Structures are given as C-alpha cells and as structure tokens.
C-alpha cells in the first residue's frame, strides 16, 4: 500500500512538473499581444542592456510610459560566467539573453534601437545616438528626445593611459573579449608547437600574463589553469613543461575585497596549481612581446623588470565611458566626481531633473558589481512605477475635487469626499517609498581546481568559506541566478558536455 501511494505521488509530481515546464516553454514561445504606445504618456529612455537596465526593465510596468531602450548590444550578458567562456567551459550564447525576448514579454510595447548613445543633452532632453554596427542604413546617426532618462551604460576597461595596453592586450568584459581570448590561447599553443621554434620563444608563447588581481583576473587565471590541467596537456603533451600562468597585481595581495583567510586560501591554491602570483608589481609599459613592471622589493626598493608573454589579459577594473564623462563635464554639480555620475539616494543624477543612473556608471558609494546594479535597477523600477501611479491618482483627485465642487446634493458631495480621502490615503502610501538601500548578499569567486571562495553575509555577521563545497555552492548559485530557464538549461548542458568530452581545443 505504501509503495502504491509513493508511486502515485511520484507520478502526480512528475505530471505536475512536466505541466509547469510545458506551460513555461509555451508562455516563452507565445508572448501575448502588447499594448500600443500611448502618445499622451511620458517618454522614458533607458540606455544600456546590462545588469542595471535589464533589472529595471524586468520590474517596470511599461504601460505607464513610452519606453525606448538604446544599447549597442541587443542582448543581456550574464557576466559572472564570462571567464568560463574564455576556455570553452561554457559557450558564450548560453549566457546571453536576447533583449527582444525580454521586451516582447512586457505588457506594453517597448522600442529598441541597437545604437550607442554618443551625447546626452540634459537641458534640451535629447540623447544623440549612432549605429556602430557593420551594416548601416541611410540613417545611422539621429537623436531621441526624452521626458525621463535612465543611464545604465556600465563602464569601460581601465588602462590608466599605460602605453601599449590597448594595442597588445585582451580585455575581459564583453562576449567578443572572451572569444578573442579563447582563440588566442589556442593560437599561442599552436604557434609554440610550430616546427623549429626556439626554446625561449616556446616559453614566451606559452606564458600567459594576467594583469590585475581583482576577481576578474583571479577567475580567468583559475579557468585557464583548469583548461591546461584537464585538457590541453592531455591533447598536446609537448607543452607540459613550458605552459605557465602569472598573475600580476600592484597591491600587496590579490582579491582585496575578500577576507584575509580567503586571500591566503586563494594564494595557496594558486601555488598548488603552479600559478605564479606577482604582488607589489605594477605594470608600467606593454609591448607586443613583454610587459615592463615596477616591482617593490621587501626592503622597499623599486626595480624595473621585463616579463615576456604570449598572451596578455588586462583586468585592472573600470573607467568612465566617454558619453558619461561628456555629460559630467556639462553639469557643475558633477565637478568633483571622478569615477562616474554622482547620484543622490534616489539615484537621481546630481544637478539634473528626471535623469537617473544605475550600475557601474553611477557613483553611489558601493562597489561596481552586478549585485549593486541589479538592486539599483529593481529599486528604480518600483520608484518609476510609483511615480506613474501617483500621477494617475493626482489626476483622479483633481477630477474628484471638481465633482465635489459641482455636486448638487449633500449625498453626492459626501460620496466624492469619501473617494477623495481614499485617493489621498493611497497617495500617501505610494509616496512613502524610501531611498535606495543596498543589501549585500556576499561575494563569490571561482579560483580554479574546482574550488571557490565566498564571503557570505549571514544575519548580522559574515561567513567566509573556501573549497570544493563552496565551488558547488558557487555553481548552484550562479545557475539559479541565470537570466532565464533557457540559459540555465544551456549552462547545465555545457558543464555536462565539458565533464564528459572535455573542452574543445580547436581554434575558432
Ligand atoms: P553592464 O552590465 O556592463 O551593461 C552596460 C550596458 O550598456 C551594456 O548593454 C552596453 O552594451 C551598454 N552601453 C555601453 N555603452 C553604451 C552607450 N554609449 N550607449 C548605450 N548603451 C551603452 N559582479 C558581481 O556582482 N558578481 C560577479 O560574479 C561578477 N562577475 C563579473 C565577471 C566579469 C568577467 C566582469 C567583467 C564583471 C563581473 N561583475 C560581477 C561585475 C558586473 O558585471 C558589473 O558590475 C555589471 O555588469 C554592471 O552592470 P551595468 O548595468 O552597470 O553595466
Ligand atoms: P578590480 O578593480 O576589482 O581589480 C583590479 C586590480 O588591478 C586591482 O587590484 C588593482 O590594484 C590592479 N591594478 C591596477 N593597475 C595595475 C597595474 N598597472 N599593474 C598591476 N596591477 C594593477 O577589477 P576587476 O577584477 O576587473 O573587477 C571589476 C569589478 O567587477 C569589481 O567591482 C569586482 O568586484 C567586480 N567583479 C566581481 C566578480 C565576483 O564577484 N566574482 C568577478 C569579476 C568582477
């Protein structure tokens, strides 16, 4: 009897889950008809399709505004798994979600222009845009007027003006960067194996230098060493002796945002993996074959050192994008801001009206992370939804006041008064929305060798952990955070594929 019931329950659960999955897929593939834009509504322009802007779009009631999204990228990119794309552990399309899919599921139509915002005129309320894609129509530059603007353009790669960086290194911010690295890794390996290559040259070509010991640099170094250990050295045993990864960091340690014990754990894991960490080493110049670095010795003296490389990956953090820098230069209230647009506690750009900024391009005293950007986007969606609701209620209040003034009987006047009071109550509740408050959930980073480090906020304290269990946590956390079910399935499939068949070592 027990077995019969267990069987029935399992069967019912199976049928239920299949039904839910089938419905989700059907819903994804068959979005409902959308409301057409209403010209009487305000135009809300959103720049960017990254963490900040897409989190905003997810929660925004688009029927309240005429929403226009502008970005040179017609997809959302799940950046936390981008380092895994450099070695083919994950295919880049698995962590991309087309913006058209996201927008098509909104209640009211949202316009999308694949273009870069080149200039923002905050006084005239106009954004100038340019189509920088390869295919161009007769018009590739135009302007978009707005009533309200949200700037979520992220940041560009910091090079600190160091000579040779842009020309000779690979960055790791976008899909193209990850693809370029993946190709270059195999190019270096195959070139090193070219007939009669001199031993010194083989050594140089098989030496990857990663500049920047923040999480991007650490995660990439870990992924690359994994690739070598699990696949490269099996298929190309000749590179075994010379393949090497060096991580160069200007500060005394890597991962400065993590707790001391996790920094030590990362450094000891790298040592086990034979990844060299060069701390207190600041890169000053880059050529096509070597970097020149200033090394601070334990006695405080400084020395210039030349380090040859085959592949150079530059991960030294963020810099302000030109469009943001240009806007900042035009607003006196932004005079003292250096790292991005200074915003108030409601994310309004200081010195402007009806312009907000979210994510890496905004300076709100938080680290430039996806976690901050997505919480800011969600907050702004609630704020904009509330503002639209408040406006509707205020219009209704005006109408009810007229009704009350023109009421012919005491009964009608009292009825209107009742409705006015209800509207006022609703308005008070809506206007109670507090300032943005960031809730830090913790920091997570993959360090290679199937180990991860995590500083997790727990009640009033913090839990620091590192190792294989943390790696399993890292995997499940990022899998659950992927944008869509489709992304989750594809990422899980990529992990399984790499486990069964290894990563693909073909170039291209
Ligand atoms: P982005 O996500 O960078 O999006 C900016 C958008 O603006 C893009 O769509 C871009 O195409 C668009 N854009 C650019 N210029 C213009 C323009 N002129 N006009 C219009 N649109 C424009 N953070 C974490 O919290 N956890 C992690 O594990 C993590 N891992 C990371 C791994 C890597 C490799 C990298 C590079 C970053 C990682 N981050 C992580 C940081 C996180 O990705 C950023 O903080 C986050 O992407 C910032 O979101 P954003 O919306 O401000 O910018
Ligand atoms: P970062 O700003 O965190 O680190 C850059 C590092 O480069 C710094 O430690 C700096 O000292 C070093 N550096 C700068 N110039 C140098 C030079 N000339 N020579 C040698 N070293 C130099 O940058 P990163 O890693 O790109 O991260 C950017 C943002 O994205 C951060 O806020 C980070 O927290 C977030 N991020 C988070 C991840 C995670 O949580 N797992 C993963 C990747 C990024």
């Amino acid at each position: 009897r027990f077995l019969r019931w267990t069987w029935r329950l399992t069967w019912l659960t199976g049928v239920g889950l299949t039904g839910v999955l089938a419905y989700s897929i059907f819903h994804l593939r068959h979005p409902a008809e959308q409301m057409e834009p209403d010209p009487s509504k305000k135009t809300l322009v959103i720049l960017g399709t990254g963490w900040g802007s897409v989190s905003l779009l997810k929660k925004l009631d688009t029927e309240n505004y005429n929403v226009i999204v502008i970005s040179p990228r017609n997809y959302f990119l799940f950046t936390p798994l981008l380092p895994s794309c450099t070695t083919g552990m994950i295919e880049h399309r698995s962590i991309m979600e087309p913006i058209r899919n996201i927008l098509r599921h909104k209640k009211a139509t949202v316009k999308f222009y694949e273009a870069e915002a080149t200039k923002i005129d905050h006084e005239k309320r106009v954004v100038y845009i340019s189509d920088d894609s390869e295919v161009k129509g007769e018009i590739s530059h135009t302007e978009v007027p707005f009533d309200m603007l949200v700037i979520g353009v992220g940041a560009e790669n910091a090079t600190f003006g160091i000579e040779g960086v842009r020309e000779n290194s690979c960055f790791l911010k976008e899909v193209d960067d990850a693809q370029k690295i993946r190709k270059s890794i195999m190019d270096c390996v195959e070139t090193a194996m070219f007939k009669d290559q001199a031993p010194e040259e083989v050594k140089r070509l098989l030496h990857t230098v990663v500049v920047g010991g923040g999480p991007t640099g650490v995660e990439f170094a870990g992924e690359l060493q994994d690739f070598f250990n699990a696949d490269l050295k099996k298929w190309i045993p000749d590179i075994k002796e010379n393949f090497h990864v060096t991580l160069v960091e200007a500060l005394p340690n890597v991962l400065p945002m993590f707790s001391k014990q996790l920094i030590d754990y990362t450094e000891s894991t790298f040592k086990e993996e034979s990844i060299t960490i060069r701390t207190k080493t600041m890169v000053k110049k880059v050529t096509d074959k070597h970097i020149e670095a200033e090394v601070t010795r334990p006695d405080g003296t400084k020395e210039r050192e030349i380090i040859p490389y085959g592949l150079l990956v530059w991960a030294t953090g963020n810099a302000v994008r030109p469009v943001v820098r240009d806007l900042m230069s035009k607003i006196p209230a932004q005079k003292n801001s250096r790292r991005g647009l200074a915003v108030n506690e409601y994310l309004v750009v200081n010195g402007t009206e009806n312009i907000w900024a979210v994510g890496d391009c905004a300076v709100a005293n938080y680290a430039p992370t996806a976690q901050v950007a997505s919480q800011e986007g969600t907050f702004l969606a609630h704020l904009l939804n509330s503002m639209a609701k408040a406006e509707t209620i205020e219009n209704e209040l005006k109408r009810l006041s007229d009704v009350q003034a023109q009421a012919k009987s005491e009964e009608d006047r009292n009825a209107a008064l009742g409705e006015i009071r209800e509207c006022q109550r609703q308005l008070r509740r809506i206007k109670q929305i507090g300032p943005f408050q960031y809730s830090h959930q913790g920091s997570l980073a993959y360090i290679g060798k199937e180990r991860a480090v995590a500083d997790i906020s727990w009640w009033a304290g913090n839990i620091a952990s590192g190792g294989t269990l943390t790696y399993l946590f890292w995997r499940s956390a990022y899998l659950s955070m992927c944008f869509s079910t489709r992304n989750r399935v594809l990422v899980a499939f990529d992990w399984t594929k790499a486990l069964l068949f290894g990563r693909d070592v073909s170039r291209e």
Side-chain angles (χ1 to χ4, degrees):
R1 198 159 158 196
F2 172 75
L3 277 177
R4 206 165 49 227
W5 274 106
T6 313
W7 164 242
R8 275 185 193 158
L9 210 66
T10 315
W11 189 79
L12 276 175
T13 316
V15 169
L17 284 176
T18 315
V20 170
L21 193 69
Y23 175 76
S24 317
I25 293 172
F26 180 84
H27 177 70
L28 275 176
R29 301 291 307 273
H30 299 85
E33 285 292 307
Q34 288 181 296
M35 282 165 62
E36 281 305 308
D38 175 353
S40 68
K41 301 250 161 94
K42 286 183 177 157
T43 299
L44 167 65
V45 172
I46 300 172
L47 303 182
T49 46
W51 278 95
S53 304
V54 167
S55 304
L56 159 66
L57 278 162
K58 245 176 155 178
K59 299 277 178 209
L60 185 72
D61 296 336
T62 51
E63 61 274 26
N64 293 331
Y65 301 99
N66 286 313
V67 185
I68 301 175
V69 179
I70 300 165
S71 175
R73 208 169 77 183
N74 79 344
Y75 55 88
F76 166 76
L77 177 67
F78 187 75
T79 47
L81 293 178
L82 191 62
S84 302
C85 297
T86 59
T87 59
M89 181 71 170
I90 290 177
E91 294 298 334
H92 60 274
R93 286 204 176 257
S94 306
I95 56 166
M96 290 159 67
E97 183 67 19
I99 193 72
R100 297 285 183 182
N101 287 7
I102 300 170
L103 301 183
R104 187 60 188 80
H105 280 90
K106 298 304 294 181
K107 203 165 169 188
T109 311
V110 177
K111 276 210 172 79
F112 173 72
Y113 302 131
E114 194 192 67
E116 195 171 311
T118 48
K119 203 172 122 185
I120 298 165
D121 190 326
H122 69 289
E123 280 165 348
K124 279 204 218 153
R125 297 199 176 179
V126 169
V127 181
Y128 297 86
I129 64 168
S130 160
D131 174 6
D132 281 345
S133 64
E134 276 171 28
V135 178
K136 291 198 175 54
E138 272 172 19
I139 293 181
S140 53
H141 305 276
T142 187
E143 48 186 75
V144 181
F146 64 83
D147 297 306
M148 300 156 101
L149 175 71
V150 177
I151 308 173
V153 297
E156 61 176 26
N157 295 292
T159 63
F160 307 102
I162 297 170
E163 193 187 327
V165 175
R166 287 215 178 272
E167 299 80 347
N168 300 301
S169 45
C170 296
F171 297 110
L172 183 48
K173 210 174 218 340
E174 299 289 342
V175 163
D176 290 354
D177 300 330
Q179 283 177 293
K180 187 175 166 194
I181 293 175
R182 188 173 173 184
K183 198 169 157 186
S184 304
I185 294 169
M186 289 320 299
D187 204 355
C188 283
V189 169
E190 298 298 0
T191 308
M193 293 298 97
F194 193 75
K195 188 167 179 289
D196 301 333
Q197 203 73 267
E200 269 311 295
E201 188 63 349
V202 172
K203 222 172 171 177
R204 179 185 74 78
L205 286 162
L206 294 178
H207 185 205
T208 297
V209 172
V210 184
V211 184
T216 306
V218 167
E219 289 191 333
F220 170 68
E223 292 277 357
L224 182 57
Q225 191 66 33
D226 281 359
F227 184 29
F228 170 71
N229 288 332
D231 300 290
L232 284 175
K233 75 175 176 197
K234 283 189 196 145
W235 307 122
I236 316 154
D238 287 350
I239 65 170
K240 237 193 243 169
E241 298 308 315
N242 291 308
F243 188 89
H244 194 64
V245 181
T246 300
L247 182 67
V248 176
E249 167 57 52
L251 297 175
N253 55 266
V254 297
L255 293 181
M257 67 291 286
F258 281 84
S259 48
K260 174 83 178 76
Q261 71 188 90
L262 294 182
I263 292 173
D264 293 344
Y265 181 72
T266 305
E267 291 183 350
S268 69
T269 299
F270 270 27
K271 209 170 185 177
E272 276 176 43
E273 287 188 278
S274 320
I275 298 174
T276 305
I277 299 183
R278 300 287 308 265
T279 50
K280 296 189 186 171
T281 304
M282 181 180 274
V283 179
K284 295 282 185 182
K285 191 179 163 190
V286 173
T287 73
D288 60 344
K289 291 200 173 123
H290 66 254
I291 57 168
E292 280 180 42
E294 188 180 78
V295 185
T296 308
R297 299 280 169 221
D299 62 2
T301 57
K302 292 195 161 98
E303 226 172 71
R304 205 81 166 185
E305 197 177 324
I306 288 184
I307 307 173
Y309 71 83
L311 171 64
L312 178 66
V313 174
W314 193 266
T316 61
N318 294 344
V320 182
R321 284 200 191 276
V323 63
V324 173
R325 213 177 315 124
D326 176 70
L327 177 63
M328 285 164 68
S329 70
K330 291 191 188 117
I331 305 171
Q334 298 286 333
K335 199 176 73 205
N336 297 324
S337 187
R338 294 280 165 273
R339 289 180 298 113
L341 288 160
V343 292
N344 71 11
E345 70 273 34
Y346 288 89
L347 307 178
V348 176
V349 173
N350 290 346
T352 69
E353 263 175 41
N354 291 334
I355 301 185
W356 292 263
V358 288
D360 286 2
C361 65
V363 180
N365 290 332
Y366 307 111
T369 63
Q371 221 181 127
V372 171
S374 68
Q375 288 185 29
E376 287 178 343
T378 306
F379 167 83
L380 200 51
H382 291 311
L383 188 77
L384 295 174
N385 291 343
S386 301
M387 281 167 68
K389 264 189 216 141
E391 204 175 307
T392 311
I393 295 175
E394 269 159 3
N395 288 340
E396 179 65 4
L397 267 174
K398 265 188 222 135
R399 192 190 65 82
L400 286 169
S401 302
D402 292 346
V403 169
Q404 193 199 15
Q406 287 158 15
K408 296 218 169 63
S409 69
E410 189 66 23
E411 201 183 331
D412 288 350
R413 229 186 329 272
N414 284 342
L417 191 66
E419 285 187 57
I420 287 175
R421 288 204 178 118
E422 178 52 29
C423 281
Q424 284 169 336
R425 227 186 341 264
Q426 283 181 21
L427 200 60
R428 268 198 302 276
R429 212 184 46 235
I430 287 169
K431 286 194 169 172
Q432 261 169 8
I433 191 159
F436 172 68
Q437 273 173 339
Y438 171 60
S439 149
H440 185 62
Q441 307 296 306
S443 306
L444 264 173
Y446 180 60
I447 58 171
K449 220 178 173 210
E450 303 200 334
R451 294 177 190 176
V453 286
D455 262 328
I456 306 290
S457 308
W458 190 257
W459 296 105
N462 189 58
I463 296 177
S465 89
T468 306
L469 268 183
T470 316
Y471 166 66
L472 294 176
F473 173 70
W474 173 87
R475 273 201 164 186
S476 47
Y478 281 160
L479 194 63
S480 70
M481 275 184 236
C482 280
F483 188 86
S484 62
T485 309
R486 182 184 141 275
N487 287 154
R488 264 172 232 125
V489 171
L490 291 176
V491 168
F493 180 73
D494 288 345
W495 280 336
T496 315
K497 197 175 68 179
L499 183 74
L500 296 179
F501 305 109
R503 300 165 186 81
D504 189 342
V505 295
S506 37
R507 186 160 79 88
E508 195 67 334

